[in-house]
Every structure is written in structure tokens, then in C-alpha cells.
Amino acid sequence: MTRRISSNSDASNGDASVGKTSNDNAVNGGASKRTTPRKAHSRTPRRAASSDAVKSPKEKVSQGSNSRKHGSEGKRDTRIASSGNSRSKGIDSKADGFVDARRMRSNKDVNTRLSQAGVSDEGVFTRPKVIDFTQRLREKRQANAHVVMKRVLIVVSTVALLCALLWFLLLSPVFLLNASSIKVSGTNTWVSASRIEDIAEQQLGTSLFIVSTGDMEEQIGELPGVTSATVHKDFPDGVNIDVNAQRPAAVLKDAKGALTAVDKEARVLNAVGASVDGIPIIEVSSVGKGTDDAAVKQALKVLAVLPESMRKQITKVSASTQDSITTEISNGQYVIVWGDSSQIALKKAVVDKIINDPTKIGDKHQVDVSAPLRPIIK
């Protein structure tokens, strides 16, 4: 009796709840207006479904988005947890969180899976290579040693090349001055070519690159009778010497009758057996005294600038003092008093004008041009 009453009461309670739910659905605009009796074990889920059905569309959308968010967060937490578990299985870590990189497992399996799956490894972070700093330091020292050795080899090779080049240019027989390659031109009977060659041969065995042509020209120019000298290098082992040789300015005749040719600087010319025809003669007591005499030096300067046609006609030169230089032309036909060697160009022009103009010279025989602007004809 008791069990029947409970069943009825349960049924009545179930009908009442169903009726209430139906009324709520009708009020909220639900589609179901009639609800059939349900068993006790299925009433609770139905009420949950009914509550979901009663919700508005906006609430349903909000609930769906929240459920998706919670679902994705749950999946991400699951992946992080699984990743942490997988890492913790292969890595031994200390309490302070330091990871011993030497005990990290290789990523070979990961790369294999990525390649099998057809996924590119661009952008995939991989574990860095573990570096042995001792080995790295040894490699760095070896690299530095190689660089130093290379630089040393370059320097040594450069120095050796320069030394070889210097030896070839300065010491090799190719460019050494050779006696057979010395050529002299412009000499005469009063200027010996052998003396010029002797000067050039002082630098035999010297590389033509360092042969001093300036010193050679200076020494040759100091020779008696040489007005100027020019030296040109003739590679690989010779020189060309061109001299401007002059005839003697005069011949000094000493008390014994010996003749010595001198140039305008009173330097004795080296000539043996040369003819003195056409060269003015100056009588002196001795050659040594004559070359040191001021009057003789002035006479030589005057004679050196006279034209060759007049020099050949001079038969006597007297120089008692340095300002009384006198020359006789054509055995005394004309006597020219020059004075000293000052204004010698003007004096020469005046003499040429007078002796070559019969209206000027007339029957006179002496012309004094010691004062060229006021010549005296006697």
C-alpha cells in the first residue's frame, strides 16, 4: 500500500513539473506545448535541455564562443603539459632551472618527422650546437698562426724579390760600365781623347744606374782646351761623351825657345808635336811664371775672343802690364793697343770697323782702343 502511494505521488510530482515546464515554454515562446510523462531517470537531462532551449539566440552564441574558447585553452594546456612532460623525460634539470645542454637529446627524430610529413623546416627553432670552448680556442690559435705565417711568407717573398731586383740592376754584369762602350767625340789635337777616357774609366764596374754623369762632365770640363762637355748614358753598359774643344788661346815661348800651348784660362794643353801655326805667341821668362802673370792672363782673354781670321794674322803679343795688351798684325802692319780685357766685344767691333775702312785708317798703323768710345789712330 505504501509503495503504490509513492508511485502515485511521484507521478503526480512528475506531471506537475512537466506541466510547469510546458507552461514556461509557452510563456517563453517555445514550440512544444505538450509534454508526455517521462521516467524518473530521464527527467534531469531533459530539464537541462529545456533550459538550453529557453535561452535567447544571443545567449546561445555567447555560450558557444565561450565553450570554444575554453575548449581551445584546454587543448593548449594539454599540449603544454604534454610538451613539458616529454622535455622532463629527456632533460635532467637542477633545482635552479639550469639545463645541461650536453645531455639534451638530438633533434634528429624531429627533423625526420618533419621531412616525412612534408613540412618545411624554415622558421623551426632548433637546439643550438654545443661548443667546446677549448677546441674553439685551439682552432682560433691555429687560424691566427696560419695568418701570421702567411704574412711572414709575403714579407719574406717581397724582400727577396726586392733584393733580387736590386742585385740585377746594381750588381749584375749586365749594367756595369764597360771600357769598350765608352765613346768620345769633339776632340782635337790639343785635347786628347785618351785623357777624357781616363776620366770616364774611373767609374768602371759601376752600374750604369748609379754612374754620375754630372761628376764626369765636371772633371772633363776642367781639362785644358775643353769649353764644355756632355755625357749621356748608353744602356746597357756604355756612355757617350761629347766635348767642345778649342784651339789654344796662345803659345807661351820661354827664354829657351820652348813652346807651350795654353787656353784662355792659362791652362797648359796636353799636345805633343802639334802645329802652332796661326796661334799667337807670347814671350815669357818661364811657363810657370807666365801662367801666373796677371798681364799674361789678360792677354789670353783678349786673344781668346778674337776671330780666327785676325788670330792667324797676329805675329807678336806683348803684355808688359795687365792694362797694356798689344798685338801686332801682319809683321807690324797694324799695331792694336787693347788695354785690358774689359769691354772686349766693343773694342773688337771698333778695331774691325777702322782697319777694314781705308777712309778711317788711311796710312796710319796704330789703333788704340783702350777707351773704345774714343779710339786713337796714329
Side-chain angles (χ1 to χ4, degrees), residues 14 245 342:
S342 63

Side-chain angles (χ1 to χ4, degrees), residues 342-363:
S342 63
Q343 296 180 308
I344 189 60
L346 178 60
K347 293 176 180 180
K348 183 181 66 173
V350 172
V351 170
D352 289 340
K353 179 67 175 176
I354 292 175
I355 64 176
N356 291 321
D357 188 355
T359 60
K360 299 290 184 182
I361 189 66
D363 56 352

Side-chain angles (χ1 to χ4, degrees), residues 197 289 319:
E197 291 175 354
K289 291 182 179 180

Side-chain angles (χ1 to χ4, degrees), residues 56-97:
S56 63
K58 292 183 179 180
E59 293 177 352
K60 292 180 180 180
V61 171
S62 175
Q63 182 178 1
S65 62
N66 291 333
S67 62
R68 286 193 298 272
K69 182 186 298 184
H70 291 308
S72 61
E73 291 178 355
K75 293 179 181 179
R76 183 173 59 188
D77 294 340
T78 304
R79 287 197 299 269
I80 293 173
S82 61
S83 175
N85 293 334
S86 62
R87 291 177 182 174
S88 62
K89 289 178 183 180
I91 303 172
D92 292 337
S93 301
K94 295 183 179 180
D96 56 356

Side-chain angles (χ1 to χ4, degrees), residues 179 182-202 204 216 219-220 223-224 226 241 243 245 269-272:
I182 299 175
K183 299 177 181 178
V184 181
S185 61
T187 59
N188 55 22
T189 56
W190 304 99
V191 178
S192 175
S194 61
R195 296 189 63 182
I196 297 175
E197 291 175 354
D198 292 341
I199 293 175
E201 289 176 358
Q202 294 177 3
L204 285 178
M216 201 177 293
Q219 293 181 37
I220 295 174
L223 292 176
V226 176
I241 304 173
V243 298
L269 300 179
N270 185 24
V272 179

Side-chain angles (χ1 to χ4, degrees), residues 303-348:
L303 296 173
V305 297
L306 295 180
E308 194 64 27
S309 58
M310 184 180 292
R311 282 167 51 85
K312 291 180 178 181
Q313 298 178 21
I314 295 176
T315 55
K316 184 180 180 180
V317 179
S318 61
S320 56
T321 61
Q322 61 181 359
D323 56 356
S324 61
I325 309 302
T326 305
T327 58
E328 292 183 5
I329 300 176
S330 301
N331 294 322
Q333 181 180 358
Y334 298 110
V335 177
I336 310 297
V337 180
W338 300 94
D340 57 15
S341 60
S342 63
Q343 296 180 308
I344 189 60
L346 178 60
K347 293 176 180 180
K348 183 181 66 173

Side-chain angles (χ1 to χ4, degrees), residues 240-279:
N240 294 330
I241 304 173
D242 184 19
V243 298
N244 183 11
Q246 61 179 346
R247 287 171 57 86
V251 175
L252 301 181
K253 183 178 181 181
D254 59 10
K256 296 181 180 180
L259 299 177
T260 303
V262 294
D263 64 0
K264 64 179 181 180
E265 301 294 337
R267 296 176 299 183
V268 177
L269 300 179
N270 185 24
V272 179
S275 175
V276 295
D277 293 341
I279 300 176

